[in-house]
Amino acid sequence: MAQSLKMEQRIGMRLSQQQLRFVKLLELNAPELDEAVERELEDNPALGVKEETHEEDTGRYPLFFAGNNDDDRPVFTPADESESLYDHLYAQLSERRLSPKVELAARYIVGNLDSNGYLSRSLSNLVDDMAFGPGIDVNDTEAREALDAVRSLEPAGIGAFGLRDCLELQLKTLPSGETRDDALLIIRDAYDAFIMKHKHRIISQLHLPAERVDAALALILSLNPKPGNALGSDPAEEANVIIPDFIVNNEDGELTITLNNRIPELQIEQSFDQAMANLERTAKGRPKKGSEFIVSRYNDARDFIRVLTQRQQTMMAVMSAIVKIQKEYFLTEDVYRLRPMMIKNVSELTGLDLSVISRATTNKFVATPWGIFPLRFFFSDSIGETAEDGNAATNRKVEAEIAAMVEAEDKRHPLSDQKIMEEMKARGYDVSRRTVAKYRDRQGIPVARLRKKL
């Protein structure tokens, strides 16, 4: 087999170790950055914190929250540590007179409820799970007794296998009467028509007067479709608190931007600083044993401080550009004042690469006097052509128009996406029906059929 040499010329780019660290830090949000700094302080003995930090010593971009003390820092209230749904149900079960085996089965069933109070598995599957899992061996009668015990607990509707079952359970707890009985009849025999909000089909199918159907529907709509949400049920969900990366305040027409983190002013530990100075003085001689560790830790600490400072400067530059472009919105809280803004517009103001700006704005939030918003909220493209006054319509404006239109509609005859599209075009917005549906979904507005009031 013949051998040959082949030369190729390739153009590529490799990131240095310091650039990689910068990219990773840039992608972190405020709480993640706090954890990363704390972790670095624990892992690197050469990195330390200055005992006294003064805002004037940190330059234009402080690494910590700009305030005189902790009292100046806005308070973001954590989740309420109230009694959970499961604790509430377990307490009720302990008051029931159940056999030990049935009580164990009932507690197992409670543990399988989702946050809404529903059961996602059938009773037979739960019986199998009990036998193979904790070893609770119950027969069909005992399992049914345990399930009935759970379904009799408060709040009503707990232990249902779906929405229809949940509504029926709640109706059964109400005193018997004409309206209650009509409501049960609708859920049992005309549920599909109820879900589709076709009142005329309910009337013709059940042969009931319109007045009685209206009363029964009002009763059904007063029920709780998610009884488990009446109490705190999932601590993990409750603790999902958004901590903003920036705080923007309007002080008499002057906008101020603050990085919202608890990062202290970092420094090289004095012992490592002195050790490096000694090594430099003796550099001509043979390196001392163990000097590699000192040099490595010292360089890591120095590079981390540089990269962290660069990260904070980049974040402030990006946020300052966003506030400059969207100044009218931050001054007025008027979504109609939002201007079309793309990543390239921020890049033109800051001189930063598009990928850097993308990382700096992904999964980041800003706190304003009227709420907390993701940074991506302020990015929007123009819809159609620029108006005569020079103000182009953004997708945020279109969303606001759609929301206002839906708010003002006749709920007995809600607007379809096609009707909204036609009205938007009449107002000068060139949008398609598909765009209307996308923006409506993004705002959590249901389709016309589900907005209809019976």
Side-chain angles (χ1 to χ4, degrees):
M1 182 176 180
Q3 295 183 350
S4 63
L5 291 175
K6 187 178 181 181
M7 296 181 64
E8 289 185 356
Q9 187 176 19
R10 294 182 181 179
I11 299 177
M13 183 179 65
R14 290 186 178 181
L15 295 177
S16 66
Q17 188 66 26
Q18 193 166 349
Q19 288 173 323
L20 288 173
R21 295 184 77 175
F22 169 70
V23 168
K24 289 180 180 179
L25 286 182
L26 193 61
E27 292 175 343
L28 302 180
N29 56 30
E32 291 171 343
L33 182 65
D34 291 344
E35 293 177 5
V37 173
E38 184 177 350
R39 203 161 46 242
E40 192 71 20
L41 285 168
E42 292 176 355
D43 295 342
N44 192 346
L47 188 65
V49 178
K50 285 188 178 180
E51 294 182 1
E52 294 184 3
T53 55
H54 301 283
E55 184 176 346
E56 60 271 15
D57 296 333
T58 59
R60 186 178 177 184
Y61 305 102
L63 298 181
F64 55 91
F65 178 80
N68 295 326
N69 52 54
D70 288 342
D71 294 335
D72 296 328
R73 184 182 177 89
V75 177
F76 298 95
T77 307
D80 180 24
E81 296 181 359
S82 57
E83 181 186 32
S84 71
L85 169 68
Y86 307 100
D87 293 336
H88 182 67
L89 298 178
Y90 288 143
Q92 293 181 66
L93 282 177
S94 63
E95 298 175 358
R96 300 295 177 94
R97 292 184 177 180
L98 302 173
S99 67
K101 188 183 292 187
V102 171
E103 183 176 352
L104 283 174
R107 286 179 173 273
Y108 185 86
I109 293 173
V110 167
N112 279 269
L113 297 174
D114 63 18
S115 59
N116 295 324
Y118 290 133
L119 285 170
S120 59
R121 293 176 62 76
S122 66
L123 183 59
S124 60
N125 287 334
L126 288 172
V127 171
D128 293 338
D129 294 343
M130 282 185 255
F132 288 104
I136 304 172
D137 189 12
V138 292
N139 55 38
D140 292 343
T141 302
E142 292 169 330
R144 172 53 62 178
E145 184 182 352
L147 178 62
D148 290 341
V150 171
R151 288 159 70 94
S152 67
L153 301 177
E154 292 292 336
I158 288 294
F161 291 102
L163 177 60
R164 185 177 190 174
D165 190 24
C166 178
L167 297 176
E168 187 173 348
L169 282 175
Q170 293 181 61
L171 288 171
K172 287 180 179 178
T173 63
L174 300 177
S176 180
E178 182 180 77
T179 302
R180 197 288 305 259
D181 295 343
D182 289 344
L184 272 174
L185 192 62
I186 291 173
I187 294 300
R188 289 171 176 170
D189 299 338
Y191 183 72
D192 291 340
F194 166 73
I195 289 297
M196 298 296 292
K197 294 192 174 184
H198 292 162
K199 189 174 76 171
H200 62 283
R201 283 181 53 192
I202 297 175
I203 294 173
S204 61
Q205 188 173 339
L206 300 181
H207 306 290
L208 292 175
E211 297 78 10
R212 285 176 60 178
V213 170
D214 287 337
L217 291 175
L219 177 60
I220 295 173
L221 294 175
S222 69
L223 303 177
N224 186 359
K226 298 178 180 180
N229 286 346
L231 292 168
S233 55
D234 191 343
E237 291 181 3
E238 291 179 354
N240 187 21
V241 179
I242 294 176
I243 299 178
D245 300 83
F246 300 95
I247 300 172
V248 175
N249 286 316
N250 181 3
E251 299 176 0
D252 299 326
E254 187 71 24
L255 297 173
T256 60
I257 306 170
T258 306
L259 269 173
N260 184 43
N261 52 53
R262 295 185 180 274
I263 300 175
E265 189 173 359
L266 304 178
Q267 67 174 7
I268 305 293
E269 284 290 351
Q270 188 174 1
S271 59
F272 277 81
D273 210 4
Q274 185 63 43
M276 279 298 297
N278 294 336
L279 285 175
E280 289 175 359
R281 283 196 297 267
T282 60
K284 295 180 181 180
R286 189 175 181 180
K288 294 181 179 180
K289 187 177 181 180
S291 62
E292 296 85 357
F293 173 78
I294 296 175
V295 173
S296 173
R297 297 290 85 188
Y298 177 89
N299 289 337
D300 282 347
R302 181 194 58 189
D303 291 345
F304 184 79
I305 293 174
R306 289 178 180 174
V307 168
L308 183 59
T309 303
Q310 184 184 1
R311 186 261 186 198
Q312 303 296 73
Q313 291 175 349
T314 301
M315 293 290 290
M316 282 295 291
V318 170
M319 191 66 228
S320 298
I322 292 174
V323 171
K324 184 176 182 179
I325 296 173
Q326 305 293 4
K327 183 177 181 180
E328 289 299 317
Y329 171 77
F330 284 102
L331 289 174
T332 62
E333 191 191 344
D334 185 359
V335 72
Y336 290 93
R337 297 295 186 93
L338 281 172
R339 297 176 56 190
M341 185 181 74
M342 307 292 287
I343 290 180
K344 65 179 181 179
N345 302 126
V346 178
S347 177
E348 291 169 357
L349 280 180
T350 60
L352 297 171
D353 188 79
L354 299 180
S355 63
V356 171
I357 298 171
S358 177
R359 288 184 171 91
T361 54
T362 300
N363 197 27
K364 308 296 192 308
F365 295 83
V366 57
T368 68
W370 51 86
I372 297 177
F373 301 89
L375 292 192
R376 290 303 177 96
F377 169 80
F378 304 101
F379 289 87
S380 58
D381 200 357
S382 58
I383 303 295
E385 298 180 356
T386 304
E388 295 180 0
D389 58 2
N391 293 322
T394 66
N395 52 11
R396 301 301 177 195
K397 291 183 181 179
V398 174
E399 288 180 7
E401 288 283 355
I402 292 174
M405 205 177 298
V406 170
E407 183 68 24
E409 71 183 358
D410 180 5
K411 297 304 179 185
R412 291 186 176 273
H413 304 284
L415 299 172
S416 65
D417 291 344
Q418 180 68 25
K419 290 289 185 182
I420 294 176
M421 181 200 73
E422 294 171 358
E423 179 62 26
M424 291 294 289
K425 287 189 175 182
R427 297 184 184 185
Y429 297 96
D430 186 16
V431 294
S432 64
R433 187 195 63 79
R434 186 175 181 179
T435 300
V436 169
K438 181 179 72 174
Y439 289 170
R440 174 180 53 73
D441 288 339
R442 195 154 67 183
Q443 295 180 91
I445 300 175
V447 297
R449 174 177 58 82
L450 297 179
R451 300 198 308 271
K452 184 178 181 180
K453 284 189 176 180
L454 296 173

